[in-house]
Amino acid sequence: MSKSKMLGLIAVAFATLFMAAEPALAAQPQQTRGEPGTTGPQTTEGGQGRTRRQQRGRAPAPNPEQLKASAQEQLTGASINCQVTEAVSPGRVGEANVYEAACATGPGYMILASTPPTIVNCLELAGTAAIARSRDPNADVGQQCVLPANQNGMAVISGWARDAGITCTVDEAVAIGKSNANNMIYEVGCAGATGYWLEQLATGWDVKDCFQVASSGATCRFTTNDEMNAVLQAKLTGTDAAACNVTQTRLMGQNANGKFYEVKCATDGEGFIARVNNEGVTQQVYPCATAQRIGGGCTLTPAPAAAPAAE
């Protein structure tokens, strides 16, 4: 997977627009006219009459069914598969209404009913907010989805992870950005195991574990180095490297025979390369001292010093 782009500028711009959203039915200021000779504002019958006429001319607030229908129309027109179960309107941006819609399945959406409409799913907005708050806990992250039905990010992403073949117990999940192909990427953390990145392709899911993510120069936020070390520590059980106390790991690459990992041991100068098959079983281990020809050799474990030349 190429290095992901942090959640799209569209989501940031969308959130920024919502910060300027006006309440949908903001009260209009009432003008008053004082009686001749008075110095303070006075309410007169004429002023009350104008206020009543203004109220009669104002469109009534849409009811819940009308809000659902409006949100459904926008989503259907954008070819987004969502059966709207609830919708609210937090305000307007200029002349365009803003809607938040909850769907029968999957994530909800925030909709700016402009021409054309701008639509962002609630997971993207939440991911943008999480990134901003990780940098600044007091960051203003703009309008977020607030419907109770849309506070379902963990359940939605966990379900997608199961669909993608991930069997761990997911304990954290968030949208983290977009790939160079403009596909959404989600990260899941696993209880006591390494997590994954899931890229949502048109044909399904592309899954990378956090070893693969690290090998591309990126970082999983929900998987610690200790968890990655523990995973490979367990894979050394029953091998010639079982006594290695793993302190550092890296994925070197893979071929038809499986994946190759380097592990550095706590004992100074000791390390191994482990070949793990597609079922996750370690097939062979190679001491770093003699593995220079495998994938370019070990880089975490210093090569043994050359013996001094005989005089």
Side-chain angles (χ1 to χ4, degrees), residues 20-60:
E22 301 171 356
L25 294 173
Q28 298 295 319
Q30 296 184 6
Q31 296 181 349
T32 59
R33 182 173 60 190
E35 293 291 342
T38 63
T39 58
Q42 303 290 322
T43 300
T44 67
E45 185 65 30
Q48 291 173 349
R50 279 195 302 275
T51 299
R52 285 194 293 269
R53 287 194 296 273
Q54 289 170 351
Q55 291 172 341
R56 285 196 298 268
R58 186 184 304 158

Side-chain angles (χ1 to χ4, degrees), residues 68-112:
K68 280 176 57 178
S70 296
Q72 185 71 70
E73 180 182 11
Q74 294 291 325
L75 292 168
T76 301
S79 299
I80 293 175
N81 184 17
C82 167
Q83 179 185 342
V84 178
T85 58
E86 185 180 4
V88 294
S89 179
R92 298 167 65 89
V93 176
E95 296 300 313
N97 286 318
V98 176
Y99 302 100
E100 179 190 346
C103 304
T105 59
Y109 293 88
M110 197 71 79
I111 305 160
L112 177 62

Side-chain angles (χ1 to χ4, degrees), residues 36 146 203 302 306:
V146 297
T203 55

Side-chain angles (χ1 to χ4, degrees), residues 78-225:
S79 299
I80 293 175
N81 184 17
C82 167
Q83 179 185 342
V84 178
T85 58
E86 185 180 4
V88 294
S89 179
R92 298 167 65 89
V93 176
E95 296 300 313
N97 286 318
V98 176
Y99 302 100
E100 179 190 346
C103 304
T105 59
Y109 293 88
M110 197 71 79
I111 305 160
L112 177 62
S114 53
T115 304
T118 301
I119 301 174
V120 178
N121 79 45
C122 293
L123 299 180
E124 291 185 63
L125 288 175
T128 303
I131 291 169
R133 287 171 177 151
S134 70
R135 297 168 179 163
D136 177 5
N138 299 315
D140 188 345
V141 296
Q143 180 71 41
Q144 295 293 306
C145 296
V146 297
L147 287 174
N150 284 337
Q151 311 310 306
N152 62 346
M154 179 77 160
V156 170
I157 299 174
S158 295
W160 289 340
R162 288 191 296 273
D163 292 343
I166 294 172
T167 58
C168 73
T169 300
V170 175
D171 56 7
E172 294 182 277
V174 72
I176 58 170
K178 290 190 175 184
S179 68
N180 289 336
N182 205 38
N183 298 318
M184 280 303 304
I185 300 174
Y186 303 91
E187 180 178 340
V188 297
C190 296
T194 54
Y196 298 85
W197 280 13
L198 293 78
E199 181 176 354
Q200 192 170 27
L201 308 178
T203 55
W205 294 98
D206 180 55
V207 178
K208 300 283 190 297
D209 66 33
C210 287
F211 288 104
Q212 293 169 293
V213 172
S215 71
S216 70
T219 303
C220 288
R221 70 175 67 182
F222 299 142
T223 298
T224 66
N225 289 332

Side-chain angles (χ1 to χ4, degrees), residues 206-275:
D206 180 55
V207 178
K208 300 283 190 297
D209 66 33
C210 287
F211 288 104
Q212 293 169 293
V213 172
S215 71
S216 70
T219 303
C220 288
R221 70 175 67 182
F222 299 142
T223 298
T224 66
N225 289 332
D226 286 344
E227 286 175 322
M228 296 174 75
N229 292 344
V231 166
L232 285 184
Q233 182 81 64
K235 292 188 182 300
L236 297 180
T237 301
T239 72
D240 292 343
C244 172
N245 181 11
V246 178
T247 60
Q248 200 172 351
T249 64
R250 73 179 179 102
L251 174 65
M252 300 174 65
Q254 65 185 91
N255 60 24
N257 295 320
K259 294 178 180 177
F260 292 79
Y261 299 89
E262 179 187 354
V263 298
K264 180 181 180 181
C265 308
T267 301
D268 189 38
E270 185 178 43
F272 295 88
I273 292 175
R275 177 170 62 84

